[in-house]
Amino acid sequence: MSLRPEANWTARPPRDFVILGFSGWPRGLRALLFALGLPLYAATLAGNGLIVALAAADRALRTPMYFFLGSLSAVEVAYTLVLTPRTLAGFLLPPGGQPLPAAACAAQMGLFVALGGAECLLLAAMALDRYLAICRPLRYPQLVTPALCWRLLAACCAGGAVLALALTTAIFRLPFCRGRLVNHVFCDLPALLELACGDKALQERALLAACLLLLVLPLALILLSYARVLAAILGAGAAGAAAQGRRKALATVASHLTVAVLHYGCATAMYARPLEGRSPEQDKLVSLVYIYLTPLLYPAIYTLRNRDMQDALRRALAARRQAGPGCRG
């Protein structure tokens, strides 16, 4: 037997991981979390699905801003479907955690990173769109065409997918020598890195590089764009149509910035920290925020604060009421 610890490392991930989640918590508390999480999950799907439907169906919303907003909501729906059902099931299972094959764990991590990365890039694309619409209004129709919008959406999705493939491949090629118990609610990057052996400094640098690509650079673009937008709005006239346009632009910027702060705040709290000294219980609680609360807040922020979305919803309801008697007849 070799005296080197490396001799006992597994050259490939274990066949099954076990997601511990909140299995160590009291059963009554887990039942309460399920009872709270299920309606939040349903409301998230309904809210984001409504935005996607309105953005696709209402002619007044067929603009670049609502194209990106509908795309962001579609990503949120997919993101919620990837993470939330298994998390809800984990609240009801008996203690001991949920077994998960390595392939399913890798797929969950890859989809999570891909969708989260696409969302980061979409928020940056939305900030760029608002910058061009407000600071370059005369050239905006020529610059931001439907073809450009589709190319930007494809680039955001491709960027998230490439990064997800690279990170997932790199992590699942590591030797897992600290068992197969994932002390988290899903197969997340830091939780799996805690189980891996090897050069911890290299692993941490890889995670920080991903944070730089997905968090720092898009956030810098967002802050720069909205700083220019706010400067342009506050420098506009304060009477008549100019004042009304300024209020509408400020409301739009405020809602976009609120979503960006929520998204990047949670992501930074979770991933832009050293691996050493992390608290698994704290990480699990933070994960509940970005799994259940922030995807629900996005449609609430956009629909409650946006008059165009409210008007589109009224038109859709009115059209449905008008079609109702004819259908019954």
Side-chain angles (χ1 to χ4, degrees):
M1 179 183 297
S2 172
L3 296 178
R4 294 184 304 148
E6 291 85 349
N8 295 324
W9 292 357
T10 55
R12 53 188 298 181
R15 184 174 59 182
D16 286 342
F17 290 93
V18 176
I19 310 299
L20 294 178
F22 294 97
S23 60
W25 287 32
R27 184 174 181 179
L29 183 55
R30 290 188 286 116
L32 176 61
L33 288 173
F34 176 85
L36 293 174
L38 183 60
L40 292 177
Y41 173 54
T44 298
L45 291 179
N48 283 292
L50 178 63
I51 291 179
V52 173
L54 289 175
D58 196 287
R59 291 182 179 275
L61 299 183
R62 291 178 185 174
T63 64
M65 184 177 79
Y66 293 107
F67 172 84
F68 289 120
L69 178 56
S71 301
L72 183 67
S73 291
V75 169
E76 281 298 323
V77 169
Y79 177 92
T80 302
L81 291 172
V82 166
L83 295 184
T84 312
R86 188 172 290 275
T87 306
L88 285 171
F91 291 139
L92 299 180
L93 293 177
Q98 301 179 71
L100 191 64
C105 185
Q108 187 182 59
M109 175 189 290
L111 288 171
F112 167 70
V113 174
L115 293 168
E119 186 173 349
C120 288
L121 298 174
L122 271 173
L123 288 171
M126 292 172 69
L128 179 61
D129 170 69
R130 289 301 84 202
Y131 165 74
L132 293 173
I134 294 173
C135 299
R136 299 289 186 271
L138 298 179
R139 298 191 59 197
Y140 179 73
Q142 290 77 35
L143 291 173
V144 186
T145 62
L148 177 64
C149 292
W150 282 106
R151 285 197 293 269
L152 284 174
L153 175 60
C156 292
C157 295
V162 168
L163 189 60
L165 180 62
L167 281 175
T168 305
T169 302
I171 288 175
F172 278 83
R173 288 171 64 91
L174 292 171
F176 291 92
C177 63
R178 293 185 174 89
R180 59 190 181 95
L181 302 179
V182 181
N183 194 8
H184 201 55
V185 297
F186 68 99
C187 289
D188 202 7
L189 284 81
L192 283 178
L193 283 176
E194 288 294 327
L195 303 179
C197 292
D199 187 350
K200 282 290 184 181
L202 179 61
Q203 298 166 15
E204 191 165 333
R205 284 196 296 271
L207 185 58
L208 289 177
C211 289
L212 178 66
L213 290 173
L214 286 182
L215 300 178
V216 178
L217 294 181
L219 182 58
L221 176 59
I222 289 171
L223 294 178
L224 178 62
S225 297
Y226 284 131
R228 299 289 299 273
V229 166
L230 287 174
I233 293 173
L234 296 177
Q244 183 178 359
R246 183 168 71 171
R247 285 193 296 270
K248 184 176 180 179
L250 281 172
T252 301
V253 170
S255 64
H256 287 196
L257 276 175
T258 302
V259 168
V261 168
L262 285 171
H263 181 79
Y264 285 100
C266 287
T268 302
M270 190 67 192
Y271 299 105
R273 293 188 288 126
L275 293 176
E276 295 295 331
R278 280 177 171 265
S279 167
E281 297 303 318
Q282 182 181 358
D283 285 353
K284 285 187 281 189
L285 290 174
V286 172
S287 71
L288 292 183
V289 174
Y290 63 75
I291 290 175
Y292 289 99
L293 292 182
T294 54
L296 176 63
L297 290 175
Y298 293 170
I301 290 168
Y302 283 124
T303 55
L304 293 178
R305 295 177 59 89
N306 190 298
R307 182 169 297 178
D308 293 336
M309 294 294 296
Q310 295 170 2
D311 291 342
L313 180 58
R314 291 191 192 98
R315 288 191 293 270
L317 293 175
R320 184 171 182 177
R321 284 195 297 268
Q322 292 174 0
C327 292
R328 288 194 297 270

